[in-house]
Amino acid sequence: MPRAAHTPSACGGLQGIAHRFCGQDKINRVAALLASPSGRENNNASTSGLETSVLEYGQHWDFRENLWRQSPELECWLLEEEPAQLAANLLNSDKIWLLRDQTYFKPPGSEHTPWHQDALFIPVEGCDFLTLWIPITPIVNQSDSPLEYWQPPHPSCHFLQGGSAIDSFHGYQQVWQREDWQHISTLGLQPGDCSYHDGWTLHGSEGQHADVDRLAFVAVYGCGEGTLSLSPSMGHAPSSLRSQVQLLRQGLHQSCFQGLMEGDPVPGHHNPWIRCHPNRTLPIHSTDRVSAEN
């Protein structure tokens, strides 16, 4: 298997698939922790309301974040083991800190996830961000709501209009297909695989139309040091997007940077540094399923 050879980009150049980055037994253990009573109880209004606050969207999702704070096992996994090592390898840095974890559990009938770029919603300037999207259940069919990535020829910040409307979701996808943008799908991923993307990668997913829950776990890592920024300048953005950015930055301020003020240095005491260094010899990554399985 080839090793990771990417470098971080400020505007959407780091996305792909990591096959078998983690063993099945470990993923099963993570799934058990997420399903435990203590994991289910960590679902207070400030965190569960983070996504539903945007036009009351995503109300069917099981969305819980910062579970690492309640589980020493999850904390160890995210700071010292496979996800942390993969993040260090991909970003080629040991200056990486954990922003948050979250469940993205979609029961049957759950809404689609609109196209978006994470960096717009993270209240930090001066850092790169990397998200690992880790399926807990197999992504077998399109009805399982696989996460989809789209990469334009010249990555940039996109002020998308249309909000959460499904017509807008499909309309953008058709345009990007016609313009031959690079497309990556998590369709076919198994527990133990994951996808990854930086903060400027366009991504989203269809609604959940299968008969069983689609379970995924997300870990978001920051790279480097920056400052807290709650109100970025977005004069050319649609008003609906500006409202979403404000709401979600305020939500993340409360859940991940509580007590910090505008302009304060980030990471703060709420955001632990990972305890892994880039490993240039461990071949745990591949964007090519064939080479990964050989």
Side-chain angles (χ1 to χ4, degrees):
M1 292 186 290
R3 59 181 172 80
H6 293 291
T7 56
S9 166
C11 51
L14 183 61
Q15 66 271 167
I17 303 296
H19 293 292
R20 299 204 302 264
F21 91 106
C22 188
Q24 179 72 63
D25 290 346
K26 182 65 67 66
I27 294 297
N28 290 343
R29 178 56 185 161
V30 169
L33 292 170
L34 298 179
S36 68
S38 60
R40 289 284 177 180
E41 289 166 2
N42 184 25
N43 193 18
N44 60 56
S46 65
T47 56
S48 65
L50 180 60
E51 300 265 330
T52 60
S53 64
V54 181
L55 304 178
E56 297 185 351
Y57 194 76
Q59 55 190 312
H60 294 111
W61 301 341
D62 177 359
F63 179 87
R64 291 168 284 140
E65 64 176 357
N66 293 325
L67 300 178
W68 68 269
R69 294 177 182 171
Q70 310 298 322
S71 170
E73 282 189 73
L74 280 178
E75 178 182 5
C76 180
W77 189 57
L78 293 171
L79 297 182
E80 301 181 11
E81 300 178 0
E82 293 91 346
Q85 185 64 64
L86 181 58
N89 290 356
L90 290 169
L91 292 166
N92 193 28
S93 175
D94 58 1
K95 294 185 178 298
I96 299 175
W97 46 278
L98 180 64
L99 172 66
R100 62 201 282 248
D101 63 53
Q102 69 181 59
T103 60
Y104 245 121
F105 291 2
K106 286 190 174 186
S110 295
E111 303 85 350
H112 69 285
T113 302
W115 303 117
H116 65 284
Q117 295 168 295
D118 293 343
L120 285 174
F121 306 119
I122 299 175
V124 175
E125 301 294 336
C127 294
D128 290 315
F129 288 93
L130 177 75
T131 296
L132 305 183
W133 189 86
I134 304 167
I136 304 298
T137 52
I139 310 300
V140 178
N141 301 303
Q142 196 65 35
S143 60
D144 293 318
S145 187
L147 193 62
E148 312 276 351
Y149 300 117
W150 288 93
Q151 175 64 58
H154 304 288
S156 62
C157 177
H158 294 266
F159 290 154
L160 302 181
Q161 301 191 49
S164 58
I166 189 64
D167 289 345
S168 175
F169 181 91
H170 290 146
Y172 276 117
Q173 186 167 239
Q174 291 165 6
V175 170
W176 298 336
Q177 287 173 335
R178 289 197 301 268
E179 295 179 353
D180 200 27
W181 286 22
Q182 180 183 351
H183 174 237
I184 296 175
S185 173
T186 61
L187 184 65
L189 263 60
Q190 298 290 321
D193 301 334
C194 76
S195 66
Y196 58 85
H197 61 273
D198 69 17
W200 293 108
T201 298
L202 280 161
H203 60 288
S205 63
E206 294 274 4
Q208 165 65 345
H209 303 300
D211 295 331
V212 296
D213 291 359
R214 198 261 358 232
L215 309 182
F217 185 67
V218 169
V220 185
Y221 294 94
C223 183
E225 299 175 307
T227 57
L228 191 70
S229 175
L230 297 175
S231 301
S233 176
M234 298 181 65
H236 298 290
S239 59
S240 60
L241 180 59
R242 291 199 302 270
S243 297
Q244 289 181 1
V245 168
Q246 183 177 9
L247 282 169
L248 290 177
R249 286 199 176 208
Q250 288 174 351
L252 285 175
H253 178 212
Q254 183 177 16
S255 63
C256 298
F257 303 105
Q258 193 170 32
L260 298 186
M261 306 293 289
E262 179 83 15
D264 280 350
V266 172
H269 65 279
H270 295 296
N271 316 112
W273 295 94
I274 72 166
R275 297 183 279 272
C276 289
H277 300 280
N279 187 333
R280 298 181 181 277
T281 61
L282 184 64
I284 62 173
H285 161 262
S286 174
T287 58
D288 180 350
R289 179 179 292 275
V290 174
S291 62
E293 292 176 350
N294 290 335

